[in-house]
Amino acid sequence: MTQRGEDQVSLSLEGHTVDPHPFLGIKLNPWAAAVAELVLWIGYLQWHFCTRGKASPAEPVLRDIKTIENRDAVRTWDAVTPWLDADGAPVTRWDGETTITSQPIPDPDPDARGQIIDDANPKPAKWPEADFIVGNPPFIGASRMRDALGDGYAEALWTA
């Protein structure tokens, strides 16, 4: 049985090593961005101990390298404007996720609502320069995009 890294070329050169710094990411959810950066460090530490044995990594072991950006990867905007009804109250919609039952057909929680907004001047987001892009975006078909993302986001996405 092959051990992890046994059949791989070591990425270390005399006095140099690979760490999470060159790995970039864009995550909309702040929690997911933090987890993604932590996963990079866990992978690095596993690689370090597999290739270096018990040798301690450089201190501090975990550093806030800020290579995983917390933002929308698809589009940017200049400002947001909330949708308001005729009485000036915010227009909301079901969040698309929260339910009050786990039946095959989900029953939306009427209290789980998000405000609908319009994005002023939506445009494609700029990505950091990279040699490779690996992604696992959620797929939402065109017929379900408005339901899944909301009117404001869908309109801004199509505009961008």
Side-chain angles (χ1 to χ4, degrees):
M1 181 188 304
T2 303
Q3 296 295 315
R4 282 180 294 163
E6 184 177 307
D7 59 349
Q8 297 174 1
V9 176
S10 174
L11 296 178
S12 291
L13 301 172
E14 195 68 34
H16 294 80
T17 188
V18 173
D19 70 11
H21 283 85
F23 296 93
L24 311 174
I26 302 171
K27 299 297 286 178
L28 185 59
N29 181 315
W31 179 83
V35 168
E37 189 168 307
L38 181 61
V39 166
L40 287 174
W41 281 109
I42 289 169
Y44 164 72
L45 290 172
Q46 287 177 327
W47 171 81
H48 174 85
F49 289 117
C50 283
T51 59
R52 302 271 193 264
K54 294 183 179 183
S56 295
E59 293 284 338
V61 175
L62 300 180
R63 294 180 289 284
D64 187 8
I65 56 177
K66 300 187 186 328
T67 60
I68 307 296
E69 298 178 42
N70 175 219
R71 64 179 176 88
D72 194 307
V74 180
R75 48 109 175 130
T76 62
W77 56 92
D78 292 336
V80 295
T81 306
W83 284 19
L84 303 175
D85 65 16
D87 297 326
V91 176
T92 63
R93 68 183 284 273
W94 173 51
D95 69 6
E97 296 177 14
T98 310
T99 60
I100 43 181
T101 181
S102 59
Q103 298 302 316
I105 300 173
D107 185 14
D109 181 345
D111 296 325
R113 306 202 52 86
Q115 187 167 0
I116 301 175
I117 58 170
D118 272 329
D119 298 332
N121 193 24
K123 51 195 165 277
K126 295 205 183 304
W127 286 10
E129 189 172 325
D131 293 323
F132 302 98
I133 298 172
V134 178
N136 186 19
F139 176 77
I140 303 169
S143 65
R144 293 208 3 129
M145 190 176 294
R146 190 176 295 277
D147 286 340
L149 302 175
D151 292 324
Y153 190 96
E155 291 295 331
L157 189 58
W158 291 323
T159 300

